[in-house]
Amino acid sequence: MLLLDALLLLLAVQASPDLDDRVLAQRIKRGDERAFRVFFERHQQTLWHYLIRRGVPSDPAADLVQQAFVTIWKRRDTIDEGKSLRSLLFTIGHNRGTNYFRDTKKFTSDAVLTTAAAEERTEGEAMHNEMLGTLHAAVARLPERRRAVFELCFMQQLTYREAAEVLGVSIKTIENQMGHALKAVRAAMQGYREA
């Protein structure tokens, strides 16, 4: 399978909802610290990476992640078992990231992603890094809302429903934004299609 085709296939795959998170949500609501620890370990890195990709520096991102989990624990008695707890976590993280930029007045238009060139690279590694750089640049050029949808659905593997809850929009909006994002990414990656 062509490398680009494999990448595009990954772009199109939608993660299935994790049923264990619903059980964890029920247990966390009842005050189960062990369930909360499992939930934390499962999603802490993912939320941190999401905030980093939005442009939040590493240390503040770690603080925001901690604050998001603390908020869930403190408000555990209000958890709606009919909704995704992961979606609630990302909503809190997303909002705290937005507040971080507002409060620090550090608005970044697009994060410039660069890769350090190693002294000795094989031709395959160089091509791989070039392709990843093109992919990251294509994602960085997406309009802010479309990029957020793409990052939540593709990179963080949230379902369309969960992403809609995080961003406070309809599932149809998520579908439309993902369609446009995939089209833009495919167009940017077209040069890597092998003949």
Side-chain angles (χ1 to χ4, degrees), residues 46-57 61 64 90-102 106-113 139 144-145 147-149 151-152 155-156 166-167:
T46 307
L47 181 58
W48 181 81
H49 284 291
Y50 171 70
L51 292 170
I52 292 296
R53 277 193 285 281
R54 286 195 65 214
V56 178
L64 296 176
F90 272 83
T91 299
I92 294 167
H94 178 84
N95 291 340
R96 289 190 181 266
T98 300
N99 292 345
Y100 169 81
F101 289 119
R102 182 198 66 212
K106 279 188 174 178
F107 293 97
T108 57
S109 58
D110 288 331
V112 179
L113 302 170
V139 172
E144 183 179 345
R145 176 62 59 134
R147 183 173 58 245
V149 168
E151 288 175 350
L152 288 171
M155 296 177 176
Q156 305 308 324
V166 169
L167 298 174

Side-chain angles (χ1 to χ4, degrees), residues 16-142:
S16 62
D18 189 352
L19 298 178
D20 290 352
D21 276 353
R22 293 214 184 266
V23 173
L24 288 175
Q26 293 168 353
R27 291 182 180 167
I28 291 168
K29 186 172 184 170
R30 292 190 306 255
D32 185 335
E33 292 178 15
R34 179 182 278 169
F36 183 74
R37 190 174 315 117
V38 169
F39 182 74
F40 175 82
E41 290 170 0
R42 184 176 292 170
H43 299 294
Q44 176 260 339
Q45 277 289 67
T46 307
L47 181 58
W48 181 81
H49 284 291
Y50 171 70
L51 292 170
I52 292 296
R53 277 193 285 281
R54 286 195 65 214
V56 178
S58 180
D59 288 341
D63 291 341
L64 296 176
V65 168
Q66 293 293 328
Q67 291 171 16
F69 279 99
V70 167
T71 299
I72 285 183
W73 182 252
K74 285 182 176 178
R75 298 182 186 165
R76 66 187 175 273
D77 57 331
T78 64
I79 291 174
D80 182 351
E81 295 173 22
K83 293 187 177 182
S84 167
L85 188 58
R86 179 173 68 159
S87 148
L88 175 61
L89 174 68
F90 272 83
T91 299
I92 294 167
H94 178 84
N95 291 340
R96 289 190 181 266
T98 300
N99 292 345
Y100 169 81
F101 289 119
R102 182 198 66 212
D103 295 345
T104 60
K105 299 191 186 298
K106 279 188 174 178
F107 293 97
T108 57
S109 58
D110 288 331
V112 179
L113 302 170
T114 60
T115 55
E119 287 182 21
E120 292 184 26
R121 271 192 201 160
T122 66
E123 200 170 300
E125 288 173 328
M127 178 66 145
H128 175 76
N129 287 337
E130 181 182 330
M131 185 178 74
L132 285 177
T134 302
L135 174 64
H136 286 298
V139 172
R141 283 191 303 269
L142 293 172

